[in-house]
Amino acid sequence: MQSNIAMENRAGIARITCGWKKSELSLEAVCRYWRDVHSPGISRRPGLWEYRHFQYAPVRADLFASLSPEISAEPPADEQLMWQSDVRYLNDAELARFGSEPAPAVLKELLGDIDLIVDKSTTYKVLGTNAQTFCDSTGTLAPQGPVATPTYSVFFRQRGEQPAFFQLIEQIARRWAQTPGVLRVRMSLFEVPDMEAERKAGYPVKTHPLPMQYQALIDLSVASDAVASPLLEGFEPRLSACVSAVHAYPVKVVYTSVCQGRPTLVGLRGYPAYEAMTALKADNQRDLGLLQWMYGPVVQTGPVA
């Protein structure tokens, strides 16, 4: 959908955070907490254009048929990502607004969730056209819940110099977007993580060691896994020269808490409430006046979804 692409590409800045939980915690409990406790808190901060949260299954090492042996297709089980949060802003001014609220004492409590549940987590910044949606025929502006078609977060590690690596990833993304059966392609080329900036913003720093960090991501949705299998064919030998790892994480669910600068119903009320309201077609609970009474000025217009 062209409107999806234009809407997403308005964002000039993205902050993509991905990691895994503390070993002693239940993954089910952590994912539920992130979705229904942490994300509604984040969705009330100003300056957000979009906020999506992805939950992963273990890496699919066999998704692409043509990877050469020198390219890692599967990290060790205890190094695999469990989730990703994609937070987007229109520009630097909106990012500054996001950082202006809540007050430091309250922000400390909100970000205390990181110390509570996260073992390792890295935030990657993406700027300008290094973040682009090239195609989207999913028909969903603000996806909520289990994915409807096979969906993957494909992470890449760089080998060699950055310009050649970035150029290759963009060429891959553009070709995927023109391939029949590919439904969605969004590319993110990462800046080098800035730990000092994260500390100044109040985030506890639990970054992965450099060898475990990624340098690019492509969000990929396909009509079937058969569509994905040949997608990297024809990119050798440049793929081996520029890429040391291609890790395809199956996306189990996506939750959109903010869309087009507005909290969604999931962002306001949490997913269980959204599920219950959707099942009973409770349109009265979507009423703007009711939501403003319940949640205050964060609800300036009706939720997108």
Side-chain angles (χ1 to χ4, degrees):
M1 294 177 66
Q2 187 61 37
S3 59
N4 283 26
I5 297 170
M7 183 274 291
E8 291 189 4
N9 287 342
R10 283 189 62 188
I13 301 171
R15 294 175 74 252
I16 293 174
T17 301
C18 45
W20 56 74
K21 68 176 181 67
K22 292 181 175 180
S23 60
E24 67 271 19
L25 300 177
S26 155
L27 180 58
E28 180 184 1
V30 166
C31 288
R32 190 168 61 245
Y33 185 93
W34 201 289
R35 181 191 70 188
D36 297 324
V37 178
H38 182 77
S39 290
I42 298 299
S43 71
R44 285 157 172 75
R45 299 181 70 179
L48 290 172
W49 181 242
E50 277 197 285
Y51 174 28
R52 291 185 185 181
H53 181 67
F54 303 71
Q55 295 176 9
Y56 295 152
V59 163
R60 272 285 307 275
D62 62 345
L63 182 65
F64 301 113
S66 58
L67 279 182
S68 57
E70 65 268 24
I71 298 176
S72 165
E74 185 176 22
D78 61 353
E79 294 182 5
Q80 294 196 19
L81 303 176
M82 296 176 177
W83 63 73
Q84 179 224 134
S85 293
D86 188 344
V87 184
R88 306 176 198 169
Y89 316 84
L90 291 179
N91 49 44
D92 284 323
E94 293 298 280
L95 177 58
R97 275 214 311 139
F98 177 78
S100 70
E101 292 185 27
V106 177
L107 181 62
K108 179 182 177 182
E109 301 305 324
L110 179 60
L111 298 183
D113 288 339
I114 299 172
D115 278 332
L116 180 67
I117 64 178
V118 173
D119 177 31
K120 285 284 184 290
S121 182
T122 300
T123 296
Y124 303 99
K125 197 171 185 180
V126 191
L127 301 175
T129 56
N130 281 348
Q132 286 192 70
T133 300
F134 290 113
C135 73
D136 189 342
S137 57
T138 62
T140 305
L141 187 65
Q144 307 288 12
V147 296
T149 62
T151 298
Y152 296 89
S153 291
V154 185
F155 286 86
F156 298 83
R157 287 197 181 120
Q158 176 182 323
R159 193 198 308 271
E161 298 300 316
Q162 186 190 73
F165 171 77
F166 276 5
Q167 181 182 56
L168 176 61
I169 300 305
E170 182 168 346
Q171 289 173 352
I172 290 171
R174 288 184 180 276
R175 195 178 83 174
W176 287 4
Q178 296 171 359
T179 301
V182 171
L183 305 179
R184 173 175 167 81
V185 173
R186 179 172 173 82
M187 175 194 76
S188 299
L189 306 177
F190 299 156
E191 302 292 305
V192 176
D194 186 342
M195 293 304 96
E196 187 56 33
E198 294 300 304
R199 286 190 186 92
K200 287 181 178 178
Y203 291 92
V205 173
K206 298 190 173 187
T207 300
H208 303 92
L210 182 59
M212 293 168 57
Q213 294 177 21
Y214 295 103
Q215 286 74 47
L217 163 67
I218 297 178
D219 295 334
L220 173 68
S221 293
V222 290
S224 71
D225 283 344
V227 173
S229 182
L231 285 178
L232 289 176
E233 292 178 358
F235 287 103
E236 292 289 358
R238 285 191 303 150
L239 198 66
S240 294
C242 296
V243 175
S244 65
V246 179
H247 295 157
Y249 288 88
V251 177
K252 298 186 294 184
V253 291
V254 183
Y255 302 106
T256 306
S257 293
V258 176
C259 183
Q260 298 184 86
R262 292 178 281 170
T264 64
L265 287 171
V266 170
L268 289 173
R269 309 192 68 162
Y271 187 71
Y274 167 85
E275 270 192 311
M277 293 160 60
T278 301
L280 295 182
K281 299 180 174 58
D283 291 337
N284 56 303
Q285 290 288 341
R286 298 172 181 264
D287 177 75
L288 176 60
L290 174 62
L291 292 171
Q292 286 177 330
W293 174 74
M294 293 177 70
Y295 298 105
V298 70
V299 184
Q300 297 184 24
T301 58
V304 181

